[in-house]
Amino acid sequence: MSDETILSIRGLVVKAPTGAILVDGVDVDLAQGEVLGLIGESGAGKSTIGLAAMGYGRGGCRITDGRIVVGTTSLMDGTRATREGVRGAKIAYVAQSAAASFNPAKRIGQQIMEGPLYHGLMNRSEAESWMLELLTALQLPDPSTFAQRYPHQVSGGQLQRAMVAMAMACRPDILVLDEPTTALDVTTQIEVLALLRELIQRYNTAALYITHDLAVVAQIADRIMVLRHGKMVELGTAAEVLEAPKQDYTRRLVAEREASIVGDRSSHQAGDLLLEVKNAVAFYGKKQVLTDVSCQIRRGETLAVVGESGSGKSTLARVIAGLPPHGTGTIDLEGQRLATDYRKRSKKQLRRIQLVYQLPDVALNPRQTVGEIIGRPMSFYFGMKDKEQRVEVARLLELIGLPAEFTERLPGALSGGQKQRVCIARALAAKPDLIICDEVTSALDPLVAEEILKLLRKLQDELKVSYLFITHDLGVVKRLADRTMVMQHGRVIEEGATSEIFRPPHAPYTEQLIASVPELRRDWLDDVLKSRGQPAA
């Protein structure tokens, strides 16, 4: 890290289309090779600041005041062409959702090369050579073959690394890393974190690292800025902020992160058998992704399914919901056999099983308002209309902690956490018996995530709704799940009461998962890498 400032932001003010202030007078300085962590709850302004660093306001948001200088280029004084010339070439963005960021119709290698070709930084041969070098540096398998694949043909962890390669393609001075590991399982998260840190050090790249996970930012950030309601709450070195926070809000964030890894599910009485899956087998093409998977879920019970990327967790969820891939095995809902294809299920059967997806950016229609999105299940399943529907939408918004005026907002005007809460409200609108939750808290900061977990527990106690909870956050599992099923390579490794699964001795693979949960100390990643025989920073 040098003393040369390559990003300077002064008095930044960003407003939403409604006129609400999203960022209020924030200053940011970033030196060459430095990593500044931006943390805070959902809606604190983290991603808005990251995008504003590129002179960009998403969803109709406007930068109404302030000065933004990248290198020697003033983005606010320049033309649109000036800003577009800086984006990608001097400062690049890595989004939380790689699946939503890649063009599904183009090969991965082609998309990585687009940046340097567009900016005229390399000819095609040079761009291809550099693209393959990046894929190799990011430890992606057989780079030449990988580059020819389409986004849907690789795992989530591989696609996230490919997105980092796309951001690095122009050799930018600054990376804006917006929750780059949030959607990854704990073992893949370690790999991507280590690779990001290595790339930043190797190429002396500066970075704004946006996250809600204090334990993650502790492994990579030199300094940390704490944000709340669009304002800076605290700024200091990573050690100062994490080990001796000065402000009450920061202390609450630290305390919640520490509590999240030790909490346990309180005693809970489940009801009669609701869902039973027997010997589920599924294929993607010729590749078998589920092998004789069986599980049971009782009314009012939570079954957590954990495992690394590619273990079959989400495939099992899709099979239960009647989505492709269709395979063999049986699914019974309160003793009634369900068709493996959702199109052959009755409307009542469809209503009783609802999904909340991992990636709200993909799950929400960007052209529909929040009210239309939540109201759709009400009209489809219950024929609810007009005033009655508006009242129910407002009730659900209040239930998930969003104000009634969000009814008229589009998804693009919401933060990641707010979008996920809308997804939860949409599922609740169908009044289901079983909600399949696919990483529903992964996009949320610790305080908001805890609110959502409390909400899910409250709903379960009141409505006896059941959850199939897919997650890589083992702290969430310990606090929410009655039983836990561990999967690897499409098979069940072990299953039982959550308290038993987390009590030593563990199965070797379960032990690996537990050891991969980030801890709130600066040297945790180095210790993990050393234990695996990998070089630490």
Side-chain angles (χ1 to χ4, degrees):
M1 185 175 74
S2 73
D3 294 330
E4 180 187 355
T5 299
I6 59 169
L7 173 66
S8 176
I9 299 176
R10 289 290 176 272
L12 178 66
V13 177
V14 183
K15 291 185 179 180
T18 60
I21 298 177
L22 304 178
V23 176
D24 190 2
V26 170
D27 297 340
V28 176
D29 286 305
L30 189 66
Q32 184 73 46
E34 180 188 27
V35 178
L36 174 64
L38 301 180
I39 66 170
E41 62 190 19
S42 178
K46 306 184 299 294
S47 295
T48 303
I49 291 171
L51 292 169
M54 300 185 292
Y56 180 75
R58 65 178 174 187
C61 298
R62 296 176 296 113
I63 301 171
T64 59
D65 200 3
R67 181 171 174 79
I68 305 166
V69 180
V70 175
T72 59
T73 304
S74 175
L75 301 189
M76 300 306 294
D77 296 334
T79 63
R80 178 176 178 177
T82 300
R83 290 190 290 274
E84 290 180 351
V86 167
R87 295 171 189 160
K90 297 295 183 181
I91 181 169
Y93 183 73
V94 178
Q96 176 181 343
S97 173
S101 301
F102 275 88
N103 186 331
K106 292 185 177 181
R107 300 182 192 274
I108 292 172
Q110 180 184 359
Q111 296 185 64
I112 294 173
M113 292 190 295
E114 279 181 358
L117 293 175
Y118 173 81
H119 289 284
L121 301 174
M122 306 175 193
N123 60 37
R124 180 163 292 277
S125 176
E126 291 169 335
E128 183 174 3
S129 177
W130 174 232
M131 177 265 294
L132 294 175
E133 182 180 334
L134 283 171
L135 294 181
T136 301
L138 288 161
Q139 299 178 15
L140 286 160
D142 191 0
S144 296
T145 302
F146 184 89
Q148 295 303 310
R149 293 177 179 167
Y150 290 94
H152 72 276
Q153 295 176 317
V154 303
S155 72
Q158 289 174 337
L159 195 61
Q160 195 68 16
R161 280 182 272 176
M163 192 174 182
V164 174
M166 186 161 60
M168 291 291 295
C170 293
R171 297 190 176 99
D173 295 319
I174 307 166
L175 288 176
V176 178
L177 302 166
D178 195 349
E179 302 273 14
T181 65
T182 294
L184 305 178
D185 64 81
V186 287
T187 53
T188 306
Q189 178 175 253
I190 289 175
E191 297 171 7
V192 174
L193 263 180
L195 289 168
L196 281 172
R197 193 170 68 174
E198 180 186 341
L199 281 175
I200 287 168
Q201 292 172 351
R202 181 190 302 180
Y203 299 108
N204 198 30
T205 305
L208 292 177
Y209 197 104
I210 298 163
T211 184
H212 62 263
D213 194 328
L214 288 171
V216 167
V217 80
Q219 313 311 315
I220 197 167
D222 301 294
R223 292 186 300 135
I224 293 176
M225 178 183 291
V226 183
L227 296 155
R228 191 182 191 198
H229 303 321
K231 294 185 178 183
M232 187 187 76
V233 173
E234 188 164 348
L235 175 66
T237 67
E240 290 170 344
V241 172
L242 297 174
E243 296 169 14
K246 297 177 182 178
Q247 301 299 319
D248 179 65
Y249 177 67
T250 310
R251 287 194 288 269
R252 286 174 55 206
L253 288 177
V254 172
E256 177 57 38
R257 184 57 181 82
E258 291 176 332
S260 70
I261 62 174
V262 298
D264 287 307
R265 171 69 150 141
S266 59
S267 59
H268 181 72
Q269 184 64 46
D272 296 332
L273 182 63
L274 176 68
L275 184 91
E276 183 173 28
V277 179
K278 289 184 178 179
N279 306 115
V281 175
F283 292 83
Y284 280 115
K286 296 182 179 180
K287 182 181 179 181
Q288 187 167 348
V289 289
L290 288 183
T291 304
D292 292 327
V293 174
S294 299
C295 65
Q296 294 182 338
I297 304 176
R298 295 188 172 276
R299 185 171 289 279
E301 180 183 55
T302 299
L303 172 66
V305 184
V306 300
E308 62 191 346
S309 178
S311 63
K313 307 186 301 296
S314 294
T315 300
L316 173 62
R318 293 178 66 84
V319 167
I320 292 172
L323 300 170
H326 305 306
T328 59
T330 61
I331 308 166
D332 292 335
L333 184 64
E334 283 193 321
Q336 184 180 41
R337 184 63 45 89
L338 296 181
T340 56
D341 189 334
Y342 78 94
R343 291 169 294 186
K344 297 179 181 178
R345 296 182 183 180
S346 68
K347 182 178 286 190
K348 181 179 179 181
Q349 290 172 337
L350 292 174
R351 180 190 63 78
R352 296 183 68 187
I353 300 177
Q354 294 292 310
L355 289 91
V356 179
Y357 294 95
Q358 176 181 3
L359 303 173
D361 285 322
V362 177
L364 299 178
N365 187 330
R367 296 185 178 183
Q368 289 186 340
T369 66
V370 168
E372 290 170 333
I373 290 168
I374 299 176
R376 173 61 179 159
M378 300 174 192
S379 59
F380 181 76
Y381 291 117
F382 307 111
M384 199 178 293
K385 296 181 180 179
D386 303 333
K387 183 178 179 180
E388 184 183 9
Q389 187 178 119
R390 288 194 298 272
V391 170
E392 182 65 8
V393 168
R395 185 186 73 82
L396 287 174
L397 284 175
E398 181 180 4
L399 194 64
I400 61 169
L402 293 178
E405 56 263 28
F406 272 54
T407 301
E408 301 302 323
R409 290 194 183 182
L410 294 171
L414 307 182
S415 70
Q418 290 166 343
K419 290 175 188 175
Q420 193 61 289
R421 286 195 255 182
V422 170
C423 289
I424 292 171
R426 177 172 59 184
L428 292 172
K431 300 181 179 178
D433 296 305
L434 173 66
I435 299 179
I436 299 174
C437 302
D438 193 350
E439 301 280 10
V440 298
T441 60
S442 66
L444 307 178
D445 66 84
L447 297 179
V448 176
E450 181 58 29
E451 292 173 5
I452 293 297
L453 292 178
K454 288 178 180 177
L455 169 62
L456 292 174
R457 288 194 293 262
K458 177 176 178 290
L459 291 168
Q460 190 168 64
D461 292 339
E462 293 178 356
L463 307 175
K464 300 303 179 187
V465 65
S466 302
Y467 301 124
L468 177 69
F469 208 92
I470 297 168
T471 183
H472 62 260
D473 190 330
L474 301 187
V476 168
V477 172
K478 292 173 70 176
R479 286 178 290 158
L480 187 69
D482 301 288
R483 293 186 300 113
T484 298
M485 186 166 75
V486 182
M487 294 186 67
Q488 184 184 30
H489 305 317
R491 296 179 181 272
V492 177
I493 301 299
E494 61 176 331
E495 187 270 338
T498 299
S499 58
E500 295 296 324
I501 294 294
F502 283 90
R503 183 179 299 145
H506 307 107
Y509 178 65
T510 307
E511 178 66 40
Q512 180 186 340
L513 289 178
I514 293 172
S516 299
V517 178
E519 297 177 13
L520 197 58
R521 54 186 177 88
R522 296 268 293 153
D523 55 356
W524 173 81
L525 182 58
D526 289 334
D527 288 347
V528 171
L529 295 176
K530 288 176 184 176
S531 71
R532 299 181 179 184
Q534 298 174 247

